[in-house]
């Protein structure tokens, strides 16, 4: 899945780095985003189910309030 998404962005001329990590979602993303190497954190949101939306809303909200760089939720 990551390779497919990377190809889409690369074909559009956008430089992409894909990273796969394990661990607590909030802590792992915050640690990586706050490493100082990134200018913007882009977080995707699915619209498949109410439960999934609730979980992503909670994670997105947490990231907005705890990550030092700007966060874009799409």
């Amino acid at each position: 899945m990551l390779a497919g998404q990377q190809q889409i962005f690369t074909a559009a001329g956008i430089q992409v780095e894909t990273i796969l990590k394990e661990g607590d979602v909030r802590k792992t993303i915050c640690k990586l985003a706050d490493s100082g190497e990134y200018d913007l954190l882009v977080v995707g949101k699915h619209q498949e189910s109410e439960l999934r939306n609730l979980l992503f809303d909670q994670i997105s909200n947490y990231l907005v309030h705890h990550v030092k760089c700007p966060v874009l939720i799409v």
Side-chain angles (χ1 to χ4, degrees), residues 3-67:
Q5 295 300 311
Q6 184 175 13
Q7 288 176 353
I8 292 169
F9 284 97
T10 302
I14 301 170
Q15 183 180 354
V16 176
E17 176 185 7
T18 57
I19 300 171
L20 178 61
K21 298 265 186 186
E22 291 184 15
D24 178 82
V25 175
R26 293 177 180 111
K27 291 178 184 177
T28 303
I29 294 174
C30 285
K31 183 177 179 180
L32 185 61
D34 289 342
S35 69
E37 298 181 31
Y38 304 100
D39 299 321
L40 176 67
L41 173 62
V42 180
V43 181
K45 183 176 170 185
H46 291 276
Q47 297 181 354
E48 294 177 8
S49 71
E50 289 182 28
L51 177 59
R52 190 172 182 110
N53 278 341
L54 177 63
L55 293 174
F56 275 102
D57 285 344
Q58 290 176 357
I59 294 169
S60 299
N61 185 49
Y62 182 89
L63 295 174
V64 166
H65 291 95
H66 290 89
V67 172

